[in-house]
C-alpha cells in the first residue's frame, strides 16, 4: 500500500534551481530512510541525498553537497529536494526511495530500497 510519487522535474538553465517533491501514502512509519537517487544514460544509479526521518539527520553525495538540500514536510507527508546552482551534469531521472534504516543508514545502495517512485526528469542546459 506504500506509494511514492515524485514531482517538480523540468528543464532549467545552468545555474538555476528546481525543487523536487516526493509525496508518500500508506504506512510509512517503519520506512524512516528516504533517499533521492538519480540516473542518467550510460551511468550507474547514484544516491545523492538521504534523510533518516527518525533522527532528522541528512547525508549527501560529494557531487551535490552544498548545492542540494533534502528536507521533510511532515504535515504534507512529503520529502523535498531543493537543487540549486544546477549544472548539465545534474541532468538525470530523479527517483525517491524508502526503506527501513539500518546501522548504515546513510549508505545509498539502490538494492537496499524496496519502495520507489516512478521518477521525475530533470534537464539542465548550458
Amino acid at each position: 500500500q506504500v506509494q511514492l510519487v515524485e514531482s517538480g522535474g523540468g528543464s532549467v538553465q545552468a545555474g538555476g534551481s528546481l525543487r523536487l517533491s516526493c509525496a508518500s501514502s500508506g504506512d510509512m512509519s517503519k520506512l524512516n530512510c528516504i533517499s533521492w537517487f538519480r540516473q542518467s544514460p550510460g551511468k550507474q544509479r547514484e544516491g545523492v541525498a538521504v534523510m533518516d526521518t527518525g533522527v532528522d539527520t541528512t547525508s549527501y553525495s560529494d557531487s551535490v553537497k552544498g548545492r542540494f538540500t533534502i528536507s521533510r514536510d511532515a504535515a504534507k507527508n512529503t520529502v523535498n529536494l531543493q537543487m540549486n546552482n544546477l549544472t548539465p551534469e545534474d541532468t538525470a531521472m530523479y527517483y525517491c526511495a524508502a526503506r527501513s534504516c539500518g546501522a548504515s543508514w546513510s549508505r545509498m545502495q539502490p538494492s537496499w530500497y524496496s519502495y520507489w517512485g516512478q521518477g521525475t526528469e530533470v534537464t539542465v542546459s548550458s
Side-chain angles (χ1 to χ4, degrees):
Q1 291 185 311
V2 171
Q3 185 177 21
L4 304 174
V5 180
E6 302 95 334
S7 62
S11 297
V12 65
Q13 291 191 344
S17 298
L18 284 173
R19 184 176 180 85
L20 307 183
S21 295
C22 176
S24 65
S25 60
D27 186 4
M28 296 288 292
S29 61
K30 296 182 179 179
L31 304 177
N32 55 318
C33 270
I34 311 296
S35 291
W36 285 95
F37 291 82
R38 67 185 182 187
Q39 188 166 28
S40 57
K43 303 197 72 174
Q44 294 181 323
R45 186 166 296 188
E46 173 193 20
V48 298
V50 59
M51 168 177 281
D52 184 337
T53 60
V55 293
D56 292 322
T57 55
T58 61
S59 184
Y60 301 89
S61 68
D62 290 339
S63 61
V64 308
K65 192 174 299 181
R67 299 187 297 120
F68 290 12
T69 303
I70 187 171
S71 62
R72 178 184 61 174
D73 187 337
K76 297 181 179 180
N77 296 314
T78 61
V79 172
N80 300 313
L81 184 69
Q82 179 67 44
M83 306 186 296
N84 297 327
N85 195 23
L86 288 162
T87 75
E89 288 70 39
D90 296 316
T91 295
M93 183 74 76
Y94 283 73
Y95 302 89
C96 65
R99 70 178 179 97
S100 178
C101 292
S104 300
W105 69 271
S106 63
R107 269 65 169 179
M108 290 180 279
Q109 286 281 352
S111 63
W112 293 3
Y113 284 78
S114 298
Y115 299 93
W116 293 83
Q118 81 289 346
T120 185
E121 182 73 29
V122 171
T123 301
V124 184
S125 60
S126 60

